[in-house]
Amino acid sequence: MENPKPAPGAKQPAPEAKPLLPEAARRTAAWCVVLLLVAGVVAVAVWLVIVLKSAVTPVLLALLGTALLGPVHAWLIRMRVNRALAAGLTCVALVAVVGGAAYIVVSALIDTGDQILASVKQGVQWVADHFGFEGKGIEDLAANSKQLLEKFGAGAASGVLAGLSVIGSLVATSVLALLLTFFFLKDSDRAARLAHTVAPRGTGEMVEAMARRAFEAVEGFMRGTTIIALIDAVCITVGLLVLRVPGAVGLGALVFIGAYIPFLGAVLSGAVACLVALADRGVGTALWTLGVVLAVQQLEGHILQPMVQSRTVQMHPAMIMVALTAGASVAGLLGMLLAVPVCAAFFGVVGELRKRYAPEEPAAP
């Protein structure tokens, strides 16, 4: 049948209006708006963290401690120990282990610190002499530092007071973090109910899954990093003892501490070990020390990390470096220590969201 012709005088339908921008431009504009909103939310969150860092820092440290000590607390619960008593015993064990490790590290650094500093000074002076740097090297630096100290004595005194204030703040933060760790361990069975209570209606299951995924990522990072740091420190200490490098135990302690700052800590501790070997034992021993450090790093990168951290969130080295830089700009050394665990938790949440909302790919034939 033929379409009926419109009656004379009837109103003609208006032609469809064409969009002002093409489809690609509209999609790009929409994504730009989304990115601006996300950037604004992130900026506000970072600002709040900086303003409330006195409260945020103990919470983050307590979460790291809870992730590291979770298996110990779970084992005590399986042994039919009361939850509160198990959390208290776990915190006591944490204080004993951390205090003992700190005592060993500090005593090793005190016993060999002067020797290490003198060797580093000689190594830097050797590099300056053989590579033609102008001036008298370290001696000029020491003399200038002494003059500055004499000139600004009052500033130095105020610096001492500021240092005492920092120490008091660190002690208060550590005590608060320990108390929060106790409560997090004791009430860990209520975390799922808290997630369902806080989350909007109908999203409790998703919030719980995201929180579990983020905590598992942080848990894997802390355990894996601790195991790898211990193995690295033992291997490098044994190598330095075989090469008769002075202050081997103190240098091994530096390696263990630096392992919690990915890439940067290993580079700095390895450079100090090479400088000490260069100053005290010569070029040959310094090259052997460099070989030991590189061999341990290869062992870590190709064997230890795939074995120990295979189930955790894997991040690209470039992303880790960006996270370290951002953490240092926000909170200095503490920010560098917390940057990678926070990023691991973020990528854990992103992985959970992708698993829930990403379209399923067809199976390969």
Side-chain angles (χ1 to χ4, degrees):
M1 295 178 62
E2 295 182 357
N3 293 331
K5 295 182 180 180
K11 189 176 181 180
Q12 298 293 333
E16 295 183 0
K18 292 183 179 181
L20 182 63
L21 296 175
E23 181 69 17
R26 283 184 284 135
R27 287 181 177 271
T28 303
W31 276 109
C32 289
V33 172
V34 171
L35 291 177
L36 287 175
L37 290 175
V38 171
V41 171
V42 171
V44 172
V46 171
W47 178 77
L48 288 175
V49 168
I50 295 174
V51 173
L52 303 175
K53 62 181 179 180
S54 299
V56 173
T57 301
V59 173
L60 293 178
L61 292 177
L63 288 175
L64 295 182
T66 305
L68 187 61
L69 299 172
V72 178
H73 183 259
W75 178 76
L76 290 175
I77 294 296
R78 288 195 299 268
M79 299 297 292
R80 300 183 183 278
V81 180
N82 181 267
R83 294 192 66 89
L85 181 59
L89 292 175
T90 305
C91 291
V92 170
L94 172 64
V95 173
V97 172
V98 172
Y103 174 77
I104 295 174
V105 171
V106 171
S107 61
L109 291 177
I110 290 176
D111 294 339
T112 59
D114 294 338
Q115 191 176 12
I116 291 175
L117 289 176
S119 299
V120 170
K121 176 181 175 181
Q122 295 175 9
V124 174
Q125 188 65 53
W126 184 92
V127 173
D129 294 339
H130 286 74
F131 287 91
F133 293 138
E134 296 181 358
K136 297 181 180 180
I138 302 299
E139 300 298 333
D140 285 347
L141 181 60
N144 293 333
S145 300
K146 185 177 180 180
Q147 293 176 2
L148 288 176
L149 184 60
E150 293 175 354
K151 186 177 180 180
F152 300 103
S158 63
V160 171
L161 295 177
L164 293 177
S165 175
V166 169
I167 292 175
S169 176
L170 288 177
V171 172
T173 300
S174 302
V175 172
L176 181 56
L178 182 63
L179 293 175
L180 289 175
T181 302
F182 169 78
F183 288 113
F184 287 169
L185 289 172
K186 184 177 75 71
D187 299 329
S188 58
D189 57 330
R190 305 179 184 178
R193 283 181 290 174
L194 178 63
H196 286 272
T197 302
V198 174
R201 182 177 300 178
T203 61
E205 182 181 355
M206 182 186 67
V207 172
E208 179 186 353
M210 292 167 57
R212 288 185 183 276
R213 186 69 177 271
F215 188 76
E216 288 173 0
V218 176
E219 194 175 38
F221 170 80
M222 289 299 297
R223 295 180 194 172
T225 302
T226 302
I227 295 173
I228 292 173
L230 182 61
I231 296 175
D232 286 355
V234 170
C235 292
I236 290 181
T237 302
V238 171
L240 295 179
L241 288 174
V242 170
L243 295 173
R244 299 178 183 177
V245 176
V249 178
L251 293 172
L254 286 177
V255 171
F256 179 80
I257 296 173
Y260 286 93
I261 304 178
F263 302 120
L264 185 59
V267 171
L268 293 178
S269 58
V272 171
C274 292
L275 284 174
V276 172
L278 174 65
D280 195 84
R281 306 288 296 172
V283 179
T285 305
L287 293 177
W288 277 106
T289 303
L290 179 61
V292 169
V293 173
L294 292 179
V296 172
Q297 294 302 319
Q298 293 299 316
L299 174 67
E300 173 188 342
H302 293 88
I303 297 178
L304 294 180
Q305 284 188 351
M307 289 177 58
V308 176
Q309 293 184 334
S310 59
R311 297 184 179 182
T312 61
V313 177
Q314 300 294 328
M315 290 187 294
H316 194 274
M319 182 61 66
I320 293 178
M321 295 302 295
V322 172
L324 290 175
T325 305
S329 63
V330 172
L333 181 60
L334 185 62
M336 296 177 70
L337 292 173
L338 296 175
V340 179
V342 170
C343 283
F346 172 76
F347 281 106
V349 172
V350 171
E352 180 66 25
L353 292 176
R354 289 187 60 186
K355 185 176 71 173
R356 284 178 171 268
Y357 296 108
E360 296 184 358
E361 297 180 358

